[in-house]
Amino acid sequence: MRPLHQAAPWDGANPGARSLVDALLDEQRQLTAVEAFARAHERHEITEPHYRKLLPASAPRPGEQYAFEVDLDKCSGCQACVTACHSLNGLDDGEAWREVGTLFGEATMPCETGGNRVVPLQQTVTTACHHCVEPGCLEGCPVLAYDKDPLTGIVRHLDDQCIGCSYCILKCPYDVPKYSEARGIVRKCDLCHGRLAAGEAPACVQACPNEAIRISVVCVTDVVSTFRSASVEAGVKVGRCESVTASSSLSDSLTFSPAPVWLPDSPSPRITLPTTRYVSKKPAADLRAADHSLPKPQHPHWPLILMLVLTQAGIGGLLASRFVGTKSLPLELVSLAFLFAGLTASVFHLGQPLKAWRVWLGWRTSWLSREAMALNAFAGAATVAVAARWLPPLTNYYLLITLSLAAAALGAVFAQAMVYADTHRAFWSLRHTAPRFFGCVLLLGPALALALQPTAPIALALLLATLLKLGCELAVLKHADSDSDRWTQLRRTAALQTDALRPVFSVRLLAALVGGVFIPFTIATGTASSALAMSAFAVCLLGELAERYLFFTSVAPDKMPV
Amino acid sequence: MSTTLSTQGREGAKARSHEELCASAPSRLGVESSPPANTLFRQWTGPLTADLVRAPGEFGLGQVPARLKPDATTTMVCGFCSTGCGLNVHLKDGQAVNLSATSDYPVNLGMACPKGWEALTPLAAPDRATTPLLRNPATGKLEPTDWDHAMQVFTLKFKAIMDQHGPESVAFLSTGQICTEEMAFLGALWKFGMGALHCDSNTRQCMATSAVAYKQSFGFDAPPFTYADFEESDVLVFVGANPCVAHPIMWQRVLRNRRNPEIIVLDPRATETALAATQHLPLAPKSDLALLYGVAHLLIQNGWVDKEFLAAHTNGFAEFAEFVREFTPDAVAAQSGLTVGQIYRLAESVKPGKRVSFWWTMGVNQGHESTRTAQAVINLALLGGHIGKPGTGANSITGQCNAMGSRLFANVTSLLGGHDFANPEHRKKIATTLNIPESVIPMKPSLAYDQILQGVADGKIKGLWVIATNPSHSWIGKGRDGYGDTAFDTLLAKLDFLVVQDMYHTTDTALRADLVLPAAGWGEKEGTLINSERRIGLVKKVSRAPGEALADFHIFRLIAHYWGCGAMFTEWTSPEAVFQILKRCSAGQPCDITGIEDYRMLDREGGVQWPLSKEQYSVFSNQCSVGESAPERPSSLKTEHCLLNTSSRSERRLFADGQFFTPDRKAKFLFDLPREAADKPCEEFPFILLTGRGTSAQWHTLTRTGKSDILRQLAPSELLLELNPDDARRLRLRAGDTARVASRRGELTARVHVTATVRPGQVYLPMHDAATNRLTFPAFDPHSRQPSYKFCAVSVHRTDKETRR
């Protein structure tokens, strides 16, 4: 071992031998910690962990599962949990499975001099995966890439099964799964299951300087009854945590007075039944996230925009082709082309397209699986319907084929709408999604037909469809103006469409008025030019793309505080 | 308990989730069964899954990412803040691959804040300086050169300036972020070797006040506490301190306090700490001095003082009592905006009888009368006799990881080892110790930071050497009129020669340099740091510096050689050799560390607090023979060697005997009438701007923390202006709007964050954005010359865009 005292081997008196710069550069390149301080790596024993009291005594029994428990009174917002999760789990740059947000508010307190005074409130909140009783991610996954461990209740993600469709991100109310561009899959918190199995605490529990995070065992029926009971409303809830008294050998008392059953200004726990318990001795207060009134446009998901609009155009065109008489072949072929183009576009949404063939696996619970199956069924039916004209035995069943095609279309578009409705976001509820999706079919079908056969009845159908659809779309704007302090999801959506997304909204409106109202009206009243009809379709398609862009970007789900 | 366990359902769950926690936990919580085999339809394992596999890390680490499993570990002290946490560096082939917090380090007990967890990441940043860079006069660009050329240019330029304009025409601005041995080398090289005089460091911006306050009151710059005092107090008073964000691991120690303490926070803002406190006194900005005098008034008036302690161990009590007579509760209430009741309750809380500790940091230190304010805190501790006992003290929480090393050993304001340049005996002692002629030790004090920059503005300072600090970002009042009519941006251009020595060639200051010297960073070199509680901790070399970057220590060696004064530093060959020199310098001083053997002892003991003289060392050694068990420390803190391994020795405080370091061994009451802050609000600039730390994930000018993706995510992505809801309504500003904030010196735009944590009439900006200091007002405390970052008048307006809306 080289003593640290010893200088770089450089002889100042004999400068010819070696330059000091070289000697120092050499010395700089030596790593000496192991050599000089051998003590640490001789010790292999695990010292008694400080976090023992933050772990439950035993594994869950049937009907129970592991859960995070956060003492809000101890969370000081230092965010060590986030960085420890990142480091101790070896995550990618910028990746962490825990987040810390802040809620703000004011409370009125009695003043010593009489009267009341307003005092500021602030609550930092650490959150991770809630390992829900009914995990939205798991139910939505089309390829069964999630597994809720029957013994521990830990919701694990199977990274090698994932196709990177990101539907779990939309399904999780808490924005827990995170997509990795580099890997083409999502990853999420696994409650450090291996650490727990070895009697070690998860990274965040180990790293919280204030012991604000612990692992507890919760009774599943308890979670269900807490969050599904009638008294629990979405939004701010005041309730009573179970009063639990710890034995006196625990240094800090675990008796909790009334506390929020769930966090204010965050997604409703009724959707997926999160198991994390947030406890506090402070009185419940009306706290808000800093960005409560600050909606931000969401990701547009271009492949999904294209997939939805093009498949719906194709479906509309194929349905329309059944009504335009015998010269329908060009319309059928063009519609099929749109349909398959849309199906192709969906592949670009996937991080792991080669694994996409498993997409039907989740059909029992996943509307995405069902959508994929229904769309492919429709595509099959449509191909048969088009091919029927060359297949003599089938030509006699025109009505039957039309009816099955209509049924398949209904099923496919309904499944498409349900994919979004099932995320429990207000703007994506069936009430808002169904008119858009079915309306798109009813609008682009005639528009496509018109482009190929500019006739007055088709023009009128287009005009009617446009007006109906536009009416449904604009209905959401009635939520925009409100004097209330509280922002609902739909108010945020309306605010986004009229403010940050106003240019797109204007394009959408203009396109509908020109392509769906003005041109069809002109055609219906006499001027039937093929070029005009084509342009009507083009403008309508643009309008629908803009509508779908707004559909994705102006959705404003409740979210955990940032 | 087993009976409660037998019940299923709701009742059973209650019992299990909590009651059982106190039972001894089994070693395994469930079985980690191997995953099911892959099938055609379900892939349970594969390459993507393998990326996240964790494996036992050994070395007491628990599980770690399998691909980062270490083959050795070593503990070193963190290089960000002054808490001085022990970090367990995971090594593979001698190279750091990961780190975690050290559980048996007496400071942090297994915890770290985000900066500590990410300490290795900034070393790998792509903008590290890898070769010396010299500005090409033809192109105006910084271009790579070699060390030999860089050193020749360095010496040539500085010598030319000094020859032409005298030794007082050059200066250096250093840091609290490099190792003690490096600071000592720099200070000795500059003053003794190169014959220059003026130098200061960024510790002027954070700690100068505490140093001066302690020196004047106690006779030596001696923060008296140990972190155990956080746990031992009955009453903790935080003055201008927000440990939840600025020192999270100290807050951890507060929460470990089992005495159900009263926690009192004096802060204009309802900070995270204030909101977690039992009393928050939201005093008007810069009314702290009057308020503290008012509390003293009440203590004295009510006889809530420790008369015996005052008589035996203090000077000036009578004068102080007379002085504070006019600080009546009514007068102080009017000034501070607090109620008489609040002030009375505060005074009652700190009266004798309980263990009361006072803790201050930048809210006090960065003020226009900060030294007297710090001393007003010290006075309160003296009044109650709250010093020298567990859970007491007038305690300054330091800012930077080695501010304390800088204060004692940087050879800047005090001669090596806390000595006095003006004292002939001290000069003689150091000259003898270093074996240098006494004549090379200057008697004159150096200019302070602000005076050096004023010298630049006046054309008196022509050459400047900036080491590991970033004044282009951090200096106060950078806007117009900061120095006469000079804004900081143009100030540095007045220099003939600007050298920046830094890890990165991209810092705001390095971009303006004529010569950039690439430095190795924390983790790439050896040395010691001294934390807030006077604990000397070790930094080790666990990562290779990129390219030709050299440790600051090596750079100073090179400069000594090229300057031609290498002969003076023949003994200064390695950091540990210099540590031995510094030990000798400290002999007989209050900061005597002659009892510390070497780096290995520091490593073994988990750092050692000063003082540890040879005498103390031998007392401790005699008291316990090697191998004896250590009853006072929990088993988790066991160390192989038992010299200091009892908490009474590893966590030591000063003044237990009431003997201070003044000539008469008594502490002094020091006080002055409060003065109003200069940059007062007016109609045009109606708001008071407060500044400070943003989040625990940000460090100062972000040159390091800005390099970590994860740390960047933990901080706001844009500059946020905290604004009270009432003011926001009045200005018709909503959360998320863009506001224009202007002072008499400059302006900036910021995103509005509406929060009642700032009071009406006040706004808050984090210091981590370079724009913030365009607004601040360059006022300085007359004793410490510390800048007053926390008070200036600003206006807030909607931007044109918002006005249109």
Side-chain angles (χ1 to χ4, degrees):
Chain A
M1 194 191 303
R2 186 175 62 82
L4 289 179
H5 298 275
Q6 223 167 66
W10 175 73
D11 181 5
N14 181 13
R18 217 164 152 241
S19 87
L20 179 60
V21 170
D22 291 338
L24 293 178
L25 282 170
D26 277 356
E27 195 183 327
Q28 183 67 58
R29 287 177 191 125
Q30 309 298 318
L31 295 179
T32 54
V34 177
E35 184 194 341
F37 304 99
R39 175 188 72 108
H41 67 271
E42 285 159 6
R43 274 189 337 178
H44 279 230
E45 84 278 11
I46 295 182
T47 48
E48 183 177 302
H50 64 274
Y51 47 70
R52 175 148 292 176
K53 65 177 179 177
L54 302 176
L55 297 177
S58 60
R61 296 168 310 166
E64 296 175 343
Q65 74 161 85
Y66 283 133
F68 285 117
E69 182 173 307
V70 176
D71 185 342
L72 292 171
D73 299 346
K74 287 184 175 172
C75 176
S76 65
C78 77
Q79 316 193 85
C81 50
V82 181
T83 38
C85 173
H86 169 78
S87 292
L88 290 180
N89 291 322
L91 304 186
D92 291 340
D93 287 349
E95 186 185 17
W97 294 334
R98 192 164 263 290
E99 287 177 5
V100 175
T102 313
L103 293 164
F104 299 89
E106 291 171 80
T108 310
M109 307 275 275
C111 196
E112 53 194 286
T113 51
N116 289 321
R117 65 195 170 102
V118 175
V119 294
L121 299 174
Q122 186 174 328
Q123 176 65 60
T124 51
V125 181
T126 173
T127 78
C129 175
H130 299 298
H131 299 278
C132 301
V133 174
E134 295 176 6
C137 53
L138 182 148
E139 291 179 356
C141 181
V143 294
L144 304 183
Y146 282 91
D147 180 60
K148 188 166 175 70
D149 187 282
L151 298 175
T152 60
I154 296 173
V155 178
R156 289 181 60 183
H157 181 253
L158 313 184
D159 291 353
D160 283 289
Q161 179 78 0
C162 178
I163 60 171
C165 72
S166 298
Y167 187 46
C168 51
I169 298 175
L170 301 181
K171 280 282 289 174
C172 173
Y174 309 101
D175 198 23
V176 163
K178 290 281 184 316
Y179 185 70
S180 160
E181 205 70 58
R183 295 168 190 273
I185 57 166
V186 302
R187 305 210 289 189
K188 71 173 270 297
C189 162
D190 60 0
L191 211 102
C192 294
H193 59 90
R195 289 196 169 98
L196 274 177
E200 295 176 21
C204 53
V205 176
Q206 288 187 31
C208 177
N210 306 333
E211 301 182 347
I213 312 171
R214 67 166 73 227
I215 301 299
S216 61
V217 170
V218 296
C219 174
V220 170
T221 54
D222 233 15
V223 179
V224 178
S225 63
T226 307
F227 291 142
R228 292 265 164 89
S229 68
S231 66
V232 179
E233 295 297 320
V236 176
K237 301 148 292 283
V238 180
R240 178 175 281 273
C241 256
E242 303 136 75
S243 184
V244 181
T245 314
S247 111
S248 57
S249 66
L250 244 188
S251 45
D252 42 359
S253 159
L254 288 167
T255 309
F256 298 110
S257 55
V261 168
W262 190 241
L263 299 165
D265 201 13
S266 52
S268 165
R270 297 183 116 171
I271 304 170
T272 61
L273 303 174
T275 61
T276 304
R277 294 156 51 100
Y278 286 99
V279 297
S280 169
K281 291 179 190 169
K282 293 180 208 157
D286 185 10
L287 298 170
R288 310 262 174 86
D291 60 349
H292 178 81
S293 59
L294 257 187
K296 285 211 178 77
Q298 302 283 304
H299 195 283
H301 298 293
W302 272 108
L304 295 183
I305 293 177
L306 288 173
M307 188 273 281
L308 287 171
V309 173
L310 295 185
T311 55
Q312 284 163 13
I315 291 169
L318 282 159
L319 292 180
S321 73
R322 311 308 283 183
F323 298 97
V324 294
T326 49
K327 294 183 197 162
S328 61
L329 186 59
L331 178 57
E332 287 173 24
L333 292 179
V334 171
S335 301
L336 268 187
F338 271 101
L339 181 67
F340 284 103
L343 287 173
T344 312
S346 68
V347 176
F348 290 97
H349 187 60
L350 303 178
Q352 299 281 351
L354 293 179
K355 297 179 182 173
W357 63 271
R358 296 195 182 104
V359 74
W360 51 272
L361 281 175
W363 65 276
R364 282 171 198 276
T365 56
S366 168
W367 278 102
L368 192 61
S369 282
R370 292 169 192 170
E371 181 204 26
M373 292 162 75
L375 265 183
N376 281 299
F378 178 84
T383 312
V384 171
V386 174
R389 66 172 66 232
W390 294 291
L391 300 170
L394 292 177
T395 42
N396 298 330
Y397 298 98
Y398 189 83
L399 184 64
L400 187 65
I401 291 174
T402 303
L403 286 176
S404 16
L405 205 58
L410 191 70
V413 179
F414 178 72
Q416 286 187 324
M418 279 309 294
V419 165
Y420 299 93
D422 201 35
T423 62
H424 299 270
R425 300 169 172 206
F427 181 50
W428 283 358
S429 67
L430 218 44
R431 203 181 138 184
H432 293 278
T433 305
R436 277 174 169 74
F437 286 15
F438 284 106
C440 185
V441 170
L442 297 180
L443 191 153
L444 288 182
L448 200 51
L450 188 72
L452 300 171
Q453 294 181 26
T455 64
I458 301 179
L460 286 175
L462 171 59
L463 198 151
L464 191 66
T466 304
L467 290 176
L468 276 173
K469 182 163 190 274
L470 210 53
C472 294
E473 286 174 32
L474 295 178
V476 77
L477 296 186
K478 72 176 182 225
H479 299 274
D481 284 320
S482 162
D483 288 337
S484 156
D485 231 14
R486 186 157 289 282
W487 285 67
T488 61
Q489 289 191 34
L490 290 178
R491 183 178 172 193
R492 291 192 182 105
T493 297
L496 278 172
Q497 293 195 357
T498 53
D499 193 351
L501 297 167
R502 195 184 195 114
V504 184
F505 182 76
S506 308
V507 167
R508 194 285 160 279
L509 209 58
L510 204 64
L513 292 177
V514 172
V517 179
F518 178 71
I519 301 179
F521 181 78
T522 320
I523 291 173
T525 51
T527 346
S529 116
S530 168
L532 199 61
M534 294 260 199
S535 65
F537 172 72
V539 176
C540 280
L541 186 65
L542 174 73
E544 290 309 292
L545 290 170
E547 176 265 299
R548 214 46 55 92
Y549 183 91
L550 291 172
F551 176 78
F552 281 106
T553 53
S554 71
V555 69
D558 289 328
K559 58 184 188 49
M560 294 302 264
V562 289
Chain B
M1 193 175 300
S2 56
T3 51
T4 43
L5 283 182
S6 62
T7 28
Q8 279 279 351
R10 194 184 175 95
E11 295 304 315
K14 271 189 232 171
R16 289 176 60 76
S17 56
H18 290 292
E19 217 166 289
E20 267 198 37
L21 295 174
C22 51
S24 67
S27 58
R28 295 171 73 80
L29 292 170
V31 189
E32 174 75 345
S33 50
S34 51
N38 285 347
T39 65
L40 177 62
F41 294 131
R42 208 117 186 250
Q43 279 184 279
W44 291 83
T45 55
L48 290 163
T49 310
D51 273 350
L52 289 176
V53 168
R54 290 169 293 240
E58 302 189 33
F59 311 106
L61 295 177
Q63 292 189 7
V64 297
R67 64 193 160 76
L68 300 176
K69 188 178 153 102
D71 56 29
T73 66
T74 195
T75 293
M76 56 194 274
V77 68
C78 179
F80 282 104
C81 89
S82 69
T83 308
C85 297
L87 299 177
N88 216 342
V89 178
H90 308 188
L91 300 160
K92 224 173 179 173
D93 304 322
Q95 174 91 20
V97 291
N98 203 352
L99 65 74
S100 52
T102 309
S103 52
D104 60 358
Y105 201 75
V107 167
N108 50 318
L109 313 172
M111 299 298 155
C113 82
K115 299 183 288 292
W117 278 103
E118 277 294 282
L120 292 170
T121 309
L123 300 180
D127 59 343
R128 286 292 300 271
T130 54
T131 63
L133 300 169
L134 187 61
R135 195 169 298 278
N136 181 338
T139 62
K141 289 200 174 115
L142 283 168
E143 292 172 3
T145 183
D146 59 39
W147 273 108
D148 179 62
H149 185 55
M151 287 296 97
Q152 290 188 23
V153 171
F154 181 97
T155 44
L156 201 71
K157 286 276 189 183
F158 271 108
K159 281 191 171 175
I161 294 171
M162 288 168 76
D163 285 348
Q164 198 185 340
H165 304 283
E168 295 201 24
S169 60
V170 293
F172 77 66
L173 293 173
S174 170
T175 182
Q177 300 283 150
I178 59 176
C179 298
T180 309
E181 296 79 357
E182 298 177 323
M183 292 173 169
F185 203 151
L186 172 63
L189 170 68
W190 186 251
K191 290 191 170 174
F192 309 153
M194 295 167 65
L197 175 67
H198 297 310
C199 54
D200 204 353
S201 89
N202 61 12
T203 48
R204 182 72 66 180
Q205 290 159 284
C206 74
M207 291 322 303
T209 292
S210 296
V212 173
Y214 279 134
K215 235 181 239 181
Q216 293 181 350
S217 294
F218 293 163
F220 196 78
D221 177 13
F225 61 102
T226 170
Y227 292 152
D229 288 323
F230 284 119
E231 300 175 25
E232 305 262 334
S233 288
D234 297 316
V235 181
L236 296 110
V237 185
F238 289 95
V239 189
N242 184 14
C244 282
V245 167
H247 298 94
I249 301 307
M250 295 196 200
W251 185 248
Q252 167 201 349
R253 302 295 296 262
V254 175
L255 290 192
R256 287 168 60 94
N257 186 314
R258 295 287 172 258
R259 307 172 67 92
N260 192 24
E262 181 93 358
I263 300 171
I264 304 171
V265 172
L266 277 62
D267 199 310
R269 284 194 311 144
T271 60
E272 291 77 358
T273 311
L275 289 167
T278 52
Q279 291 180 42
H280 172 215
L281 286 81
L283 71 171
K286 293 297 149 235
S287 65
D288 43 5
L289 186 54
L291 173 66
L292 294 166
Y293 288 151
V295 174
H297 171 103
L298 282 173
L299 289 174
I300 294 168
Q301 194 188 40
N302 290 294
W304 292 337
V305 295
D306 184 339
K307 290 195 180 106
E308 283 168 38
F309 179 85
L310 288 172
H313 302 297
T314 68
N315 267 327
F317 170 65
E319 294 85 344
F320 182 60
E322 181 59 30
F323 170 80
V324 296
R325 279 169 79 96
E326 64 177 277
F327 292 88
T328 61
D330 286 331
V332 171
Q335 221 170 326
S336 62
L338 302 171
T339 65
V340 171
Q342 282 173 301
I343 301 168
Y344 191 88
R345 190 175 160 208
L346 168 60
E348 199 173 15
S349 304
V350 303
K351 67 183 183 186
K354 285 185 167 182
R355 296 173 170 189
V356 181
S357 56
F358 297 87
W359 309 85
W360 82 81
T361 177
M362 299 315 152
V364 167
N365 284 350
Q366 295 176 335
H368 66 286
E369 47 190 0
S370 51
T371 302
R372 289 296 177 251
T373 312
Q375 284 161 341
V377 178
I378 292 173
N379 293 347
L380 290 185
L382 294 177
L383 284 178
H386 302 303
I387 200 148
K389 297 181 281 256
T392 66
N395 306 328
S396 142
I397 302 173
T398 317
Q400 302 183 72
C401 58
N402 203 22
M404 291 280 286
S406 162
R407 285 152 69 164
L408 293 180
F409 293 107
N411 207 34
V412 171
T413 48
S414 59
L415 182 58
L416 290 172
H419 291 92
D420 188 354
F421 279 106
N423 185 326
E425 279 175 37
H426 285 182
R427 286 205 307 277
K428 191 171 174 196
K429 172 183 165 191
I430 295 301
T432 315
T433 309
L434 300 184
N435 195 18
I436 56 173
E438 204 183 317
S439 58
V440 302
I441 303 180
M443 277 172 274
K444 256 175 95 171
S446 157
L447 293 178
Y449 206 129
D450 67 302
Q451 295 160 331
I452 289 172
L453 292 177
Q454 187 63 55
V456 176
D458 297 342
K460 288 178 187 158
I461 302 278
K462 303 277 188 190
L464 188 66
W465 179 15
V466 176
I467 300 118
T469 187
N470 190 12
S472 291
H473 182 303
S474 66
W475 190 245
I476 193 167
K478 294 184 304 179
R480 61 179 171 268
D481 303 336
Y483 289 90
D485 55 356
T486 316
F488 198 89
D489 285 345
T490 51
L491 183 73
L492 295 180
K494 291 193 166 192
L495 290 162
D496 287 352
F497 191 46
L498 173 63
V499 183
V500 174
Q501 178 172 325
D502 205 286
M503 288 169 68
Y504 306 100
H505 62 80
T506 52
T507 72
D508 311 64
T509 315
L511 292 173
R512 297 178 162 85
D514 299 305
L515 176 66
V516 175
L517 301 178
W522 171 92
E524 297 167 345
K525 59 185 180 181
E526 277 151 5
T528 60
L529 307 174
I530 309 183
N531 78 354
S532 268
E533 54 163 0
R534 311 180 313 282
R535 185 178 303 278
I536 302 166
L538 206 51
V539 172
K540 300 176 186 173
K541 211 197 236 180
V542 294
S543 188
R544 282 188 182 84
E548 296 188 2
L550 285 175
D552 297 282
F553 189 89
H554 292 330
I555 298 176
F556 302 141
R557 264 191 92 183
L558 271 182
I559 290 172
H561 171 70
Y562 278 83
W563 194 270
C565 58
M568 192 182 277
F569 298 98
T570 45
E571 203 194 330
W572 300 55
T573 51
S574 70
E576 193 164 15
V578 172
F579 183 75
Q580 298 298 335
I581 298 173
L582 297 181
K583 276 170 58 181
R584 299 203 305 265
C585 292
S586 76
Q589 285 287 91
C591 61
D592 192 326
I593 49 170
T594 50
I596 302 173
E597 286 164 8
D598 54 12
Y599 279 1
R600 280 178 197 78
M601 175 170 164
L602 289 174
D603 189 44
R604 201 170 57 219
E605 300 291 345
V608 176
Q609 282 178 293
W610 68 255
L612 187 73
S613 63
K614 272 207 174 103
E615 294 70 37
Q616 280 168 300
Y617 176 84
S618 61
V619 170
F620 289 155
S621 305
N622 291 338
Q623 279 172 0
C624 79
S625 57
V626 175
E628 188 185 322
S629 66
E632 290 182 55
R633 287 211 48 200
S635 56
S636 63
L637 298 183
K638 255 182 226 156
T639 56
E640 293 89 336
H641 195 273
C642 81
L643 172 64
L644 296 174
N645 68 353
T646 58
S647 55
S648 64
R649 289 174 201 155
S650 74
E651 299 181 306
R652 293 175 292 129
R653 61 187 65 78
L654 302 178
F655 311 130
D657 54 0
Q659 298 300 302
F660 294 89
F661 300 122
T662 49
D664 62 0
R665 314 301 276 170
K666 289 180 176 184
K668 261 187 240 169
F669 279 94
L670 290 163
F671 45 89
D672 260 331
L673 280 175
R675 291 178 291 118
E676 271 192 58
D679 198 48
K680 275 186 296 189
C682 62
E683 206 173 314
E684 194 187 348
F685 300 101
F687 289 93
I688 296 172
L689 169 65
L690 310 169
T691 69
R693 201 170 292 279
T695 66
S696 60
Q698 289 165 296
W699 182 246
H700 292 178
T701 70
L702 308 185
T703 54
R704 280 185 292 164
T705 52
K707 305 286 156 52
S708 154
D709 285 346
I710 197 83
L711 292 183
R712 274 204 310 275
Q713 281 180 27
L714 299 185
S717 55
E718 49 195 344
L719 181 60
L720 293 183
L721 175 80
E722 294 181 19
L723 183 69
N724 184 274
D726 292 347
D727 292 327
R729 263 189 291 277
R730 211 161 36 76
L731 296 167
R732 292 187 298 130
L733 278 165
R734 298 175 312 176
D737 285 347
T738 313
R740 193 167 61 83
V741 190
S743 77
R744 296 178 176 96
R745 292 152 297 283
E747 64 177 56
L748 54 79
T749 54
R751 187 78 60 189
V752 173
H753 170 43
V754 178
T755 170
T757 53
V758 290
R759 294 174 69 79
Q762 300 169 18
V763 292
Y764 182 84
L765 283 173
M767 64 177 175
H768 310 292
D769 193 299
T772 300
N773 277 317
R774 288 210 291 265
L775 308 184
T776 46
F777 177 75
F780 303 92
D781 176 74
H783 303 280
S784 69
R785 304 301 307 170
Q786 180 154 350
S788 171
Y789 281 101
K790 310 233 182 257
F791 191 102
C792 78
V794 295
S795 63
V796 179
H797 292 289
R798 294 149 61 97
T799 59
D800 294 343
K801 178 173 169 279
E802 308 301 341
T803 317
R804 271 209 308 277
R805 255 160 61 168

